[in-house]
Amino acid sequence: MRLDQPWLEDPATQAVCEAVSADGAQVLFVGGCVRNALLGEPVSDLDIATDSQPEQVMELAARAGIKAVPTGIDHGTVTLVKNGIPHEITTFRKDVATDGRRAVVAFSTDIAEDARRRDFTMNAIYARPDGEVVDPLGGLTDIAGRRVRFIGTAENRIREDYLRSLRYFRFHAWYGDHALGFDPDALAAIAANLDGLASLSKERVGAELLKLLAAPDPAPSVAAMRQAGVLAQVLPGADDRALAPLIHLEAGRAASGIRRLAALGGDGLQETLRLSKAQASHLVAIRAAAAGTAGAGELGFRLGAEMALDALLLRAALLEQPLSSNLETDIAQGVDAEFPVKARDLLPELKGPALGKALKKLQADWIASGFSLSREELLNSFR
């Protein structure tokens, strides 16, 4: 089997391959770029495995006039940038020791050793620069059946890095066959190693969950997480009952991991997952708005189009209500509206708290009118 992909034939990418293999080293694409190419999914990152060691890769790149960045040189990774395209080059590795969070690795010259240290069979398929596919562990069969299967023993792979429990559900959400269901051996191993999840950093857990929730339909994976005990472990107090209705309501609209996370809820989400300030602010705002009664126009005016839509989708999912057919139009009306009264219009008669109270009352009346009351009408009603 050979890959036929535009990114594989790009002159910059071929130049990188020629540079790294100039002294006879093996050069093979691996991981997401090969997996996604085989599945017909978009390819974004280019990862390359080689038996050449990182210092040699740096030297070969310099010889070829290619920019080299030692992004993770201690772990065998160098990034070569050609024509603005980054190529992450990593030396074949084998695990020497693991503690459930990180591994001590040694460089290897054996592609089979490199493959065996990876997580899932679909991520351990390689391709040479000419597109020839190399499959040391039988991942092609799993790719064809859209089966997410741990390499070797699921329990061993999970104990090497407990984040792989979450990655299993994420990969199933993105690439698995929902009709086929989940591997019972994988679920049993995940359920038997729940305590290990507590050793993971909150940032890693948060990032993994958001990637999972951004899948086209993560509801089956999240339901399986709940049944295996994972959801309660990583998101105490979470409830996934509103997630499937939310995904149904989102039809035709862009997915949002934060919106879906808001549907799950949970105790202290910002702290539990160490969200960024922007993510936490968005989460708090849409959950508060969803719990309120403000209409689409008002939320568009107060929150902007994106957060207003998130809040209204979330509210409808939580309350099991249909969406208005004019939802986007009503939001846009609020987004485009400009409150016509300024503080100076009420001076000098009102000042301080009285001025703020009056402006708030006038704005409420204006919103209630569907943003139709003019400045003069508002001021006349106030006087």
Side-chain angles (χ1 to χ4, degrees):
M1 177 181 290
R2 289 184 185 274
L3 298 183
D4 181 12
Q5 294 279 308
W7 57 265
L8 188 59
E9 299 171 0
D10 188 287
T13 296
Q14 285 296 315
V16 166
C17 293
E18 290 171 9
V20 177
S21 61
D23 287 347
Q26 297 184 69
V27 173
L28 301 107
F29 294 90
V30 68
C33 60
V34 179
R35 178 197 66 230
N36 284 19
L38 291 167
L39 289 170
E41 301 283 350
V43 170
S44 54
D45 300 325
L46 298 181
D47 294 331
I48 295 174
T50 179
D51 54 357
S52 181
Q53 297 209 3
E55 293 79 7
Q56 294 171 297
V57 173
M58 296 278 288
E59 181 181 332
L60 290 164
R63 190 191 308 172
I66 296 175
K67 180 181 178 182
V69 183
T71 43
I73 197 164
D74 291 341
H75 302 286
T77 301
V78 175
T79 300
L80 302 191
V81 183
K82 178 72 173 178
N83 292 355
I85 303 173
H87 305 76
E88 193 166 278
I89 319 293
T90 303
T91 303
F92 291 163
R93 297 178 293 181
K94 60 181 177 180
D95 289 341
V96 175
T98 60
D99 63 3
R101 290 181 298 169
R102 61 184 68 84
V104 177
V105 299
F107 296 144
S108 172
T109 58
D110 184 351
I111 189 174
E113 285 186 330
D114 188 72
R116 283 194 293 269
R117 70 172 301 275
R118 299 178 182 272
D119 47 13
F120 309 114
T121 57
M122 63 169 55
N123 290 337
I125 305 173
Y126 301 72
R128 302 189 193 281
D130 65 359
E132 180 189 357
V133 173
V134 180
D135 183 21
L137 304 179
L140 283 172
T141 302
D142 291 325
I143 281 275
R146 285 189 172 264
R147 287 187 295 270
V148 183
R149 186 168 63 86
F150 281 102
I151 291 169
T153 304
E155 184 125 0
N156 290 343
R157 294 290 81 74
I158 290 168
R159 288 182 176 179
E160 289 168 354
D161 183 352
Y162 291 109
L163 191 70
R164 286 174 173 170
S165 291
L166 296 180
R167 283 173 61 83
Y168 175 80
F169 295 110
R170 194 243 291 187
F171 275 81
H172 206 286
W174 279 100
Y175 309 118
D177 183 343
H178 295 331
L180 183 65
F182 297 82
D183 178 358
D185 291 337
L187 293 180
I190 289 168
N193 288 278
L194 294 177
D195 291 347
L197 294 169
S199 67
L200 299 173
S201 74
K202 295 176 180 179
E203 290 86 353
R204 291 184 78 197
V205 171
E208 196 64 37
L209 276 178
L210 288 174
K211 290 176 183 177
L212 187 163
L213 291 172
D217 183 6
S221 283
V222 175
M225 287 174 63
R226 169 173 46 78
Q227 293 164 359
V230 174
L231 187 62
Q233 187 77 13
V234 298
L235 281 182
D239 186 337
D240 65 316
R241 284 179 293 181
L243 183 58
L246 174 62
I247 292 165
H248 175 74
L249 292 167
E250 290 175 345
R253 301 177 174 91
S256 164
I258 290 294
R259 181 201 300 148
R260 292 169 174 182
L261 181 60
L264 293 179
D267 304 329
L269 282 177
Q270 303 97 297
E271 296 76 22
T272 301
L273 301 180
R274 292 279 169 83
L275 302 175
S276 70
K277 288 184 179 179
Q279 290 169 332
S281 176
H282 192 120
L283 183 72
V284 169
I286 64 174
R287 291 186 73 187
T293 58
E298 180 175 355
L299 291 178
F301 172 71
R302 297 191 185 283
L303 301 179
E306 181 185 359
M307 283 202 285
L309 179 61
D310 283 352
L312 291 165
L313 287 168
L314 179 59
R315 181 189 294 170
L318 291 169
L319 298 179
E320 299 182 0
Q321 294 178 341
L323 292 173
S324 165
S325 59
N326 299 318
L327 181 65
E328 274 85 356
T329 301
D330 293 342
I331 291 173
Q333 183 185 17
V335 171
D336 295 337
E338 185 175 350
F339 184 46
V341 177
K342 309 296 182 187
R344 63 175 177 269
D345 296 326
L346 302 178
L347 295 172
E349 290 86 354
L350 296 176
K351 296 179 181 179
L355 175 60
K357 183 177 180 180
L359 284 171
K360 186 175 181 180
K361 170 66 168 58
L362 290 176
Q363 189 180 86
D365 292 344
W366 172 70
I367 291 171
S369 75
F371 312 106
S372 64
L373 289 175
S374 66
R375 173 179 177 276
E376 290 71 23
E377 288 170 326
L378 287 166
L379 292 176
N380 287 337
S381 70
F382 179 73
R383 292 173 180 143

